[in-house]
Amino acid sequence: MLACSALTGLFLASFLAATIVPMQSEAVLVGLLLTGDYSVAALLAVASCGNVLGSVCNWWLGRCIERYRHCSWFPVSEHRLHQGQQWYRRYGKWSLLLSWAPIIGDPLTVAAGVMREPLPVFIAIAGGAKVARYLVLAGATLGWLS
């Protein structure tokens, strides 16, 4: 039961970190990795799935932006959205390789929806970047990179 609640917490932290709630999933993942009580593969899969699904929510919001852009809960300010769109126009879908990055990642995922990036392409690039980030974090935490 404890493992299930820990994985659920990691999933929620990872999902929320990619959406409107200011959250740090990295600290949760590192904490769980350091306990040694959980499968590294399971932790990486749960964190990655949560984070990618959170980004898909941003992509969907971008697709529906005209309907929601002025709502108080919208995850990205007008200024950040404009920056994301300009970045996306300049660098295209490959800018999604930075979707894992703090501050610019969320606006990029919203901009991808606004710019009508096909969902499979979005998931492949943004998902790959997010999985790679968690792999590097796990590698650094567990000493795989030394």
Side-chain angles (χ1 to χ4, degrees), residues 7 16 22 39 62-63 84 113 121 128 132:
L7 294 177
L16 294 173
S39 159
R63 295 289 297 230
V121 172

Side-chain angles (χ1 to χ4, degrees), residues 100-126:
W100 62 270
I103 301 171
I104 64 169
D106 292 345
L108 282 173
T109 59
V110 174
V114 171
M115 305 302 278
R116 303 288 194 227
E117 189 64 56
L119 185 58
V121 172
F122 174 83
I123 290 173
I125 297 172

